[in-house]
Structures are given as structure tokens and as C-alpha cells.
Amino acid sequence: MVSLTADLSPLRPDRNLAMELVRATEAAAIRAVPFIGRGAKEAADGAAVDAMRAFLGTVDFQGRVVIGEGEKDNAPMLFNGEVVGTGRGPECDIAVDPIDGTTLTAEGRQNALSVLAVSDRGSMLDASTVFYMDKLVTGPAGIGVVDIRKPIGENVRRLAKALGKPVDELVVSVLNRPRHEKLIAEIREAGAGTRLMSDGDVAGGINAARHDARTDMCVGIGGSPEGIVTACAIKALGGHIQGVLWPRDDDERQRGVDAGLEFDKVYEADDLVQGNNTIFVATGVTDGQLVRGVRREGNYLYTESVVLRGASGTLRRIVSDHLVSKWL
């Protein structure tokens, strides 16, 4: 395992790698644009996967996909165990989601992102055998205050007190799914407001952890790959994340047990990804709270991305202008 002590070592993910990875998410987002609002989520995902894979192949690192996306719905994917990069540079674990929000993209709705996360080799939890995870995400104020094992009403009241705001000003993001009907009702009964997401809980989690966002907490059952990706971003934001694996049936639970996963365990940030040497990058496919989506004006395509580094605790925004002729 790569040492985290030598800050300038060429054997560990660094700020230069972070900037290179943005090219991969930009490419995936741009290639998804022709499919926005067209009702073809598999085609959008396939185009984004191909673009991300091609650009990752030019990056000087030895990347191994620990968390790939697509297995839940038989969509195209960067598969678990796939090796990407030039084979030179740091050995890394990567978690990818060429489009977090394929349905959002297909329907032309907000908050679709192209995302990937990188950490030192061997540091990411491989939860690929269990597709879903119950998650709770807040900003730094939630550390030592909220706990996924407590009733949601208690967590709402505790977080409101920690933030110094009335409960009725608290906003909680939840995926709008039938499985969350009771959870949504309990949040509202506690006095907080809800922001219901049709898809894309990576953006929901990050917005809950950001100090300048309009969301205070993100809760509910979403993808376990998204949980790992979100944890990498939370490391840079100083926020709080917990996850409990949520198998859909006994067969999936047994596959998780065989893989060494624990179902009575609350996975904290350091369980999901060890250490602070994490990189998270995201480019907007469609507009959202976190970043603007790809847009075309004349001969240019414009993208907006964020880069979060756990080692430095920074969030950088990158706005890029791309000549359309280079993408035709």
C-alpha cells in the first residue's frame, strides 16, 4: 500500500492527477449531451462510459476500478476490476459513475453529473456485491451529533440545534422512492422540510455537506457505489457520512457476507475510504445546485466542474471552453 506520509511522492494521487481526471468527466458529460431529454438513458450512459474510458487511458496512473456503475440495470459500464491509465504513476483505487443520474439525463432534468473518485490503492471499500446502502450525510456540524441508528426525528432536532437554526428551516434531501414514504413523513412530522430527488444522490450528499448549500442533510437508501464516491468528496468538505448496507434479498446478503461485508455495521467515512488522500471530480451534465450543465453557444461548449481534494481540504471550480469542432 502506498505511503501517505511523503506529500510530494510520485507514487500517490496528487493535485496534478486531480486536474488530469477532470478531462475524463468533461468528456463523459459532453458525450452525453446529445441524449439529454431524449428518453434513452442506456445510450447516454454508453456514450459517457466510452468517453470516460478513452480519456482515463491517457492519464499517468495505475487505476483499478473498485466501484463501477451499471451493474444494477445492465447498463454499459466501466466494470469492477478494470485497469485504466497508462500504467505509469501512482497505484490507485477508483470509483466511477460516468453519469450519476441517467434517468435525469434521459428526461432532461436537473442534477445529472459525471463523477469519479480516486484514492490510494487498497483504501476503498469494495461494496460491489451489495448494490444499495442506507446513508446519512451532513456537514461538519453533524459530526458526533447525528447517528444513522437514531430516529430521523431526533437527528433532525439534533442537527438543527447544532446549526443554531429552527427545525422548520432545516432542509433534508431524500430520493423520491416508495421505500422512503415513511421516512419522508417522519421528517415532515419532525418539522423539517424535504427536497425530494428523483435521482442523483451523489449531488444530494455533497450539497448536504457544503457550507454554502441550501440542504442540511441527505438521508435514505441509494446506491452503494454512490456512497463510496460521496465519501471521497466528504473527506475534502470535512463533513459527516454514515452508511449501512441494504441487501435486496437473501442471495445478495450472502454474496456480501462471502465478500467480507458486514450488515450490522455502520460504515463511517474512514470505513468507506481510508485516509484523506482522496480526489473527487464531477462535471455537470445538466444544471444543478452543485455545478451547471454542459451548454453550447455558437462554436463553443462550456462545462463546469468541481475538484475536491481530501489532502488539502479544497473545493475548486473549473469552467472550461471547448471548441465544438474538436468534438464533432
Side-chain angles (χ1 to χ4, degrees), residues 158-228:
R158 283 170 169 258
L159 184 60
K161 182 178 180 180
L163 290 170
K165 62 168 60 177
V167 171
D168 61 8
E169 292 183 10
L170 210 71
V171 178
V172 183
S173 290
V174 189
L175 281 170
N176 190 11
R177 300 287 189 271
R179 62 178 177 264
H180 290 150
E181 289 179 0
K182 183 173 183 291
L183 176 64
I184 292 166
E186 289 175 348
I187 292 168
R188 293 170 176 170
E189 287 170 5
T194 55
R195 176 168 284 118
L196 301 185
M197 304 177 292
S198 60
D199 209 342
D201 63 337
V202 170
I206 294 172
N207 285 326
R210 288 170 51 211
H211 67 89
D212 57 348
R214 298 187 300 275
T215 303
D216 302 292
M217 182 189 298
C218 184
V219 296
I221 297 163
S224 58
E226 289 84 351
I228 308 302

Side-chain angles (χ1 to χ4, degrees), residues 7 20 23 37 44 52 71 95 138 142 149 153 186 212 218 263 266 280 283 303:
D7 192 50
E20 282 293 298
R23 297 167 57 241
M52 180 175 282
E71 293 174 329
T138 73
R149 290 161 289 204
E186 289 175 348
D212 57 348
C218 184
F263 294 93
V266 174
F280 169 93
T283 301
T303 59

Side-chain angles (χ1 to χ4, degrees), residues 26 32 70 78 85 110 112 141-142 165 178 189 195 207 233 246 258 264 310:
E26 286 177 342
L78 279 151
Q110 292 191 335
K165 62 168 60 177
E189 287 170 5
R195 176 168 284 118
N207 285 326
W246 194 78
D258 293 342
D264 57 353

